[in-house]
Amino acid sequence: MIRDRFIFGLAMLWVIAAAVILTILLAIPLFAVEMSIFHLSAIAGMSDASLWHNYLVLMNYLLNPFVGHLAFPDFVSSSNGLKHFAEVKGLFMLTWALVLVLLPAFVIFVKENLRIIFHNGLRVFMIVPLAFGIIAGLIGFDNFFVYFHEILFRDSTWLFDPTLDPIINVLPEQFFMHCFILFGVIYELIFYCLYKKGYSRIRKQKLK
């Protein structure tokens, strides 16, 4: 039983990490859509192609473990800005590592441990993002975004100065809000699939 609970915990951590990675990857096409909606290229004072290229340079740096230096083709960057992006890259690399290392635990959980006790546990995990959504709605996304960064990062380098790090001008709060919503949708879909699979397994066991 202890082993099963341990596997359950690792599997849930894998789901969270996987949802984060999927969100990050989908944030790439999402940015392309938001470029048009919020006229980000006009804000940046460059063409759509140039802005898109700069964004891809950023994402390649954040997602590629073999890229150790960030240099935007058309944006200047401060030391604090580069430091923050390096911290974000570290978190992304940690998340990738969790997805890879914990995958066997997730597979074992799906194959062996979708019993009723864990089925109920899935309900709890499904409620968590809804609770955060309610909190964000009550305090406002801008305040939620600040608290989120204060929890994840030790210093205030994430508070970009647009004059020193103009890249922040084309990463509006709405974009990050949509990324959070996207994460919530992906997260809930994964847990719904697990819940449905477990429910089907329980029904089959009852029919035997």
Side-chain angles (χ1 to χ4, degrees):
M1 193 63 174
I2 294 178
R3 171 189 174 275
D4 288 347
R5 291 183 182 276
F6 182 66
I7 292 295
F8 174 76
L10 295 180
M12 297 304 97
L13 185 57
W14 181 89
V15 170
I16 296 171
V20 170
I21 290 298
L22 286 173
T23 302
I24 294 169
L25 295 176
L26 290 175
I28 298 175
L30 175 63
F31 184 79
V33 175
E34 308 240 328
M35 278 176 55
S36 175
I37 295 176
F38 298 112
H39 309 289
L40 298 181
S41 56
I43 294 174
M46 62 181 67
S47 66
D48 286 349
S50 295
L51 179 56
W52 178 243
H53 177 59
N54 280 267
Y55 181 72
L56 291 181
V57 167
L58 172 61
M59 296 307 292
N60 184 50
Y61 167 74
L62 295 176
L63 290 170
N64 190 340
F66 302 106
V67 177
H69 177 68
L70 174 61
F72 291 107
D74 302 295
F75 289 106
V76 296
S77 300
S78 69
S79 57
N80 280 343
L82 292 175
K83 181 177 182 293
H84 176 66
F85 282 127
E87 292 174 345
V88 173
K89 180 183 178 72
L91 291 176
F92 283 10
M93 293 300 101
L94 174 61
T95 307
W96 274 115
L98 289 175
V99 169
L100 295 174
V101 172
L102 299 179
L103 180 59
F106 176 75
V107 173
I108 292 172
F109 170 72
V110 171
K111 287 185 175 180
E112 301 179 2
N113 295 312
L114 278 176
R115 297 202 303 269
I116 186 63
I117 182 173
F118 301 109
H119 194 58
N120 291 333
L122 292 176
R123 296 176 184 173
V124 175
F125 277 91
M126 291 173 72
I127 293 173
V128 171
L130 300 178
F132 279 109
I134 292 173
I135 293 173
L138 292 174
I139 67 176
F141 180 77
D142 52 345
N143 290 322
F144 177 82
F145 193 64
V146 169
Y147 294 142
F148 174 80
H149 278 77
E150 288 178 343
I151 292 172
L152 282 183
F153 303 104
R154 299 178 182 178
D155 52 35
S156 59
T157 55
W158 61 273
L159 292 169
F160 284 80
D161 182 342
T163 60
L164 300 177
D165 292 285
I167 184 66
I168 195 61
N169 292 322
V170 295
L171 296 173
E173 184 178 287
Q174 295 95 325
F175 172 68
F176 290 107
M177 181 176 68
H178 295 157
C179 287
F180 273 89
I181 293 173
L182 181 60
F183 168 79
V185 172
I186 294 171
Y187 178 97
E188 290 292 345
L189 282 175
I190 295 175
F191 273 101
Y192 173 76
C193 290
L194 289 175
Y195 186 85
K196 186 175 181 180
K197 182 177 178 62
Y199 184 75
S200 298
R201 186 174 297 179
I202 292 169
R203 289 189 61 185
K204 290 179 180 178
Q205 289 176 350
K206 289 181 178 180
L207 292 175
K208 289 182 180 180

